Amino acid sequence: MAEAMAESYNRDSEPTTRTLLRRVLDTADTRTPRRRRSARVSAQKALLETPSSRRLSSPTKMNVRRRSHRARSIGRLAHVHTSGNLEEQTPRTLLKNILLTAPESSVMMPESVVKPVPTPQVVQSSRRESSRGSLELQLPELEPPTTLALGLLAPGRRKQRQRLSVFQQGMDQGLPLSQEPRGNGSASSLTSSLNLTFATPLQPQSVQRPGLARRPPTRRAVDVGAFLQDLRDTSLALASPGDSLRTPVATLPTDTVLEDTQPFSQPLIGRSPSVYHSLPCLSHTEAEDAERAVSHRIQSSGPRLQNHNPGKPTQLLAGKAKKVDALAVSFPNNSSAVSGEDGVEPLQDGVGEEAEERMEESLSVSKVMATTGTQGSVRMEKSKGHREMTEAAEAKEPEGSSGASPELASSTTEFLQARQPQFLEPAPPPSTAVLSSEPLEPLSTRLPPRARTPGPRARTPGPRPRQDPHKTGLSHYVKLFSFYAKMPMEKAALEMVEKCLDKYFQHLCDDLEVFAAHAGRKTVRPEDLELLMRRQGLVNDQVSLHVLVERHLPLEYRQLLIPCAFSGNSVFPAQ
Amino acid sequence: MAFSTTVSQRKHIKRKAPRGFLKHVFKRQKPHLRLETSGDLLVHLNCLLFVRRLAEESRMNAFESKCGVIKKEHVQAAAKVILKKSRG
């Protein structure tokens, strides 16, 4: 006791909190209520004395702040350490813990960091204290903030919770969050890291890096309604003059309008609002044309029904024919396409697809049929004169369709007359007029619409250059060549590659023939291929064919080539 | 899949085999023979490997002549070598 008092008096030169506490403890020691704790108390006291003696030597530059902070931190630590021992937390025990666990050398926070953080930390400290009111001494009046800096390992969790609440408060109050992490940065790594995770600001991310902010994607709504309105308006404008004018002269002024409505030249040029929806434009126009054609075709194709039976393989078309028939039936036999259009819209997509397919098939037939009918050609010229058709595809129409029915002179005249209003109407209808008649006349209707798709290429209707598919097939490998080369290449070099590929294919086929013949077969099988690759040196004992297949072919082909066992005791492909 | 499944270039190389084209070529050359279904794919594999070897050889030729562009001569020389190799 006396020594303690002496020590305290020695330290009186610096009246710090610690000394005060020590004094309190020493004096109050005898009044310990619990006896069984006396032993602990004495032990603690002994312990306390040793650290306190050590502290004597420690630099006395510590100011009140740090002492207080340390005290608080120590209190927490001590609390954790000795919590097992204490059944009851009294100020005495707390003090003892403080003194016990106080680190000899406190973590000195640089003044600069300490100063800017006073306000928030005052808040924090006060909060902390309020939350742990029962646990801590009431020393706030002496304490400036900077508790953060000191090692707070044990009550880390509590601290985090607090920090979170403080953080939220800070957010509400608009406190700069950077101060917190900054303050913690100098603290122990554990707590600082823990605190930082909570302190990660959600809001400033976008402020600091505007590029990361999520912006709602700007989408232009498809102006289908407006587009259809435009279509209706134009067709209305076209339909009305079209019906009245049956003379060639009258067709001239409307030709320009006709041309405007042609599917391939027009939608991209004439209709600016729908420019960026060219695809839906095409589908719309084609579908609508099909419908208009249907409505008009009914008149002209009536007499033809008996003449042309669907002798051709039209099983594919049968389904479509039915659909078109249904559509055709739904339309009254009027020449106004407006009503047709309205009915068309809901069925546009389906009809559009069918129209395309029919068009393609019809073209193949068109060449066959083009040979017949000089009359048809005459009429074609006439109709050509009427219309300023820039596309020979449409010129094919009259040729093909009238050629398809040479024996029906009267019907052809009717057809021509019927065609004229069609021609007066937007140009696509005539081309797709054949579409409508397809179910009724699969032969004739095939001719014109097909011509639409190639567009400019159909100007010279003749046998397609035979090299085309061969070149397109080779181009696939030429592209692969340029890809593997990874270097820019000259056009001459690419042509050279094509020649090489041709030679290669020749060699390949010869070899395969030899191998198959050697095996006494007339069919080239995968074994022949494997033998070829083995001879080429691609497949050897180290590298098997399966390995190469796995390396270079996509999954779907791998599945086909490499036999794999499946459930149910089955192997695919079967060996 | 093993290496180089990612396309480094901007244009995407389609990995489909032009099976119809291959069958057509074979038929044109050897009309009296038949080609099996999976043989088609193996022919495509063979073509891929051939083209790959050809490209690498021409690339090496271009490097040797210190050219940044593959020229016709490079390809020609490479073709001679590779065609000889893949004679089988």
Side-chain angles (χ1 to χ4, degrees), chain A residues 65-79:
Chain A
R65 270 192 193 173
R66 297 194 194 103
R67 287 259 172 137
S68 60
H69 290 310
R70 265 201 313 165
R72 210 175 292 127
S73 62
I74 290 158
R76 275 179 234 116
L77 288 170
H79 170 72

Side-chain angles (χ1 to χ4, degrees), chain A residues 308-345:
Chain A
H308 294 274
N309 297 324
K312 286 256 167 170
T314 52
Q315 293 103 9
L316 292 171
L317 301 171
K320 300 172 211 165
K322 284 171 201 157
K323 195 172 180 191
V324 179
D325 283 336
L327 290 167
V329 166
S330 67
F331 297 127
N333 271 353
N334 53 4
S335 52
S336 68
V338 182
S339 58
E341 256 178 308
D342 297 335
V344 169
E345 275 143 35

Side-chain angles (χ1 to χ4, degrees), chain A residues 76 109 113 117-129 131-132 145-152 155-172 175-200:
Chain A
R76 275 179 234 116
M109 282 246 308
V113 183
V117 201
T119 345
Q121 286 171 347
V122 167
V123 176
Q124 292 156 11
S125 57
S126 59
R127 289 182 141 264
R128 246 178 262 117
E129 280 154 13
S131 68
R132 303 178 203 157
T146 66
T147 52
L148 304 174
L150 305 182
L152 314 163
R157 262 185 239 143
R158 224 177 295 133
K159 210 181 164 150
Q160 282 174 31
R161 262 182 246 126
Q162 248 216 345
R163 303 204 111 272
L164 187 57
S165 59
V166 171
F167 164 80
Q168 283 166 358
Q169 242 213 4
M171 282 299 293
D172 297 339
L175 279 176
L177 296 165
S178 55
Q179 284 182 4
E180 278 192 26
R182 223 188 298 144
N184 296 328
S186 53
S188 67
S189 60
L190 255 182
T191 49
S192 58
S193 62
L194 290 166
N195 293 330
L196 276 171
T197 54
F198 277 91
T200 43

Side-chain angles (χ1 to χ4, degrees), chain A residues 470 476-477 480 484-485 488 490 496 500 504 506 510-511 513 522 524-525 532 535-536 557-558, chain B residues 1 16-17 28-30 32 34 36 44 46-48 52 58-59 69-71 76 79 86-88:
Chain A
H470 189 75
H476 181 243
Y477 289 112
L480 276 168
Y484 285 137
E490 290 178 351
M496 189 69 210
C500 292
Y504 162 75
Q506 281 174 13
D510 293 337
D511 291 341
E513 183 185 10
K522 286 211 176 154
V524 176
R525 283 169 118 206
L532 173 71
R535 285 195 63 130
Q536 285 182 346
Y557 298 154
R558 289 211 301 270
Chain B
M1 277 193 68
K16 275 180 80 173
R28 204 141 44 95
Q29 294 255 333
K30 309 280 168 195
H32 53 275
R34 286 190 284 159
E36 263 200 35
H44 176 69
N46 211 0
C47 291
L48 281 180
R52 187 182 266 258
S58 359
R59 205 160 147 240
V69 185
I70 293 182
K71 293 212 176 113
Q76 221 163 3
S86 52
R87 233 188 359 186

Side-chain angles (χ1 to χ4, degrees), chain A residues 207-225:
Chain A
V207 169
Q208 289 159 13
R209 295 189 201 165
L212 293 180
R214 288 212 185 147
R215 298 188 202 99
T218 52
R219 292 196 187 99
R220 282 182 297 188
V222 176
D223 218 350
V224 179

